[in-house]
Amino acid sequence: MTWRSIGVRLTIRYAAAFACALVLLGGGMLLAVRQSLYHAIDDSLREQVVGVRRFIEEHETRLGRADIKREFRAHGDYLQVIDQQGRPIYSTDSLRELAAPDAGALGATGRFENVSGHGGVPLRFLSRNVEVGAHRYTIRVAAPLRDLQRGLGEALGVLLPLFPVVLLLASAGGYWMSRRALAPVDQITRAAQSITADRLSERLSVPGTGDELERLSQTLNDMIARLERAFARVSQFTSDASHELRTPLAVMRTTAEVALRSPAGAEDYREALEQITAELEGTSQLVENLLLIAKADAGGKQLQETPVDLVAAVGEACAEAGVLARVKGIDIDTRLPEEPISVIGDAHALRRLFLILLDNAVKYTPAGGRCIASVVREDRFAVGIVRDTGIGIPAQERALIFDRFYRVDRARSRQQGGTGLGLAIGRWIVEAHRGTICVDTEVDRGSEFRVRLPLA
Ligand code: ADP
């Protein structure tokens, strides 16, 4: 148990809230009882005043003062009757020392007050003026508060020792409940700790309770699944990259070894070096592509976001690809509109995207074929189209050609200087521009790649 655990913190908060509730409840109860006891005392005092008034009414004319005094004794230990001139007509011993109240300040209903009486006895007083015939009397009656105070004291005496006991029991219950509720969290934590990089295929058990803990386990499982896929992609990428680099390195090494082993003339060395240079060119391209993909994966490759004229970008890519096309005897037909079509993006990346598509179109189209590049506006999109009359792509391969290192015909692609990364980079550029890329193709008839990008 640590002080920072949720269970302990919950228990402390629960106990604090419970203690406040107990204090409020106990205090409220005592106040209510006190209030009701005072009401009972006040009612009885009012009744006493009514009784004394009735007595004065009945006997005032018939009895002399001495008789009245004698009769008043029957009205209890706390009574004082004062006449209009402020002279006491009668006062029990316990009230004799008290000064007469100011009759003018008593009002119609009289006045209640708590006063210490004879010998410090706490008393509740009612002083009230009554009119009997032509006379006005001030009647003062009182009741001792000792019983009330004792009763309240006893109630407090019962409640106070109970308070810590109830609080302790409630806190223990609260702690037990919070531990029970949080036990699955400990389980999840232990299970999650056991899942390491080499055990990413494992999953947490999902409790199936439909509550937050089920959601937590499910969310963690989804996260582990994403991590597993990302790990798999990274190791696949690393092994593919190593594999791709192995072949050109082996070719270069063999070429150099063969040239060195047998004594040869300058012409043979030149040939060997030319072969190595050609391999190096392809390898440099591959390494550059690998670097670009690695940066894109790490989120480090940031593209610019400025208005770019797609017509100009495609035009420049056509001019660049034109050199290779001419060598192969392929005609690039550029059909671009007069006016610019703007998209938001990175001019360099967009040029590279269309160069990849045009380069492929030239690579996979036999000599004498045609490539057509065009840009059109469709709704709120700019669409760049690269069409060729080449070898086409079999239907079952269409979805795969955008994957890294995927090549329909490995040997052919390599022969053409392909690395299998062009379309993967192309798709990344399109997606970074919030666009889409699709291909429409037929074997031996040609392919059409369409790139849709939102207009600026
Ligand atoms: P590569 O460097 O091999 O060209 P890409 O990623 O650019 O790699 O393309 C992947 C594969 O898709 C290519 O190897 C090729 O088989 C196929 N491909 C791409 N463009 C075309 C096209 N215009 N015509 C026929 N096949 C194509």
Side-chain angles (χ1 to χ4, degrees), residues 1 18 20 62-63 98 190 229 256 294 302 304 357 436:
M1 183 178 86
F18 193 74
C20 290
R62 285 190 287 117
L63 297 175
L98 290 178
R190 276 196 298 276
R229 283 197 295 275
Q302 297 292 331
Q304 282 193 342
L357 297 179
T436 54

Side-chain angles (χ1 to χ4, degrees), residues 360-361 363-364 388 391-393 401 406-409 413 418-424 447 449:
N360 280 348
K363 270 194 304 195
Y364 302 109
D388 63 60
I391 59 171
I393 301 157
I401 55 169
Y406 191 83
R407 283 165 280 190
V408 176
D409 182 340
S413 162
T419 60
L421 290 175
L423 288 180
S447 313
F449 285 84

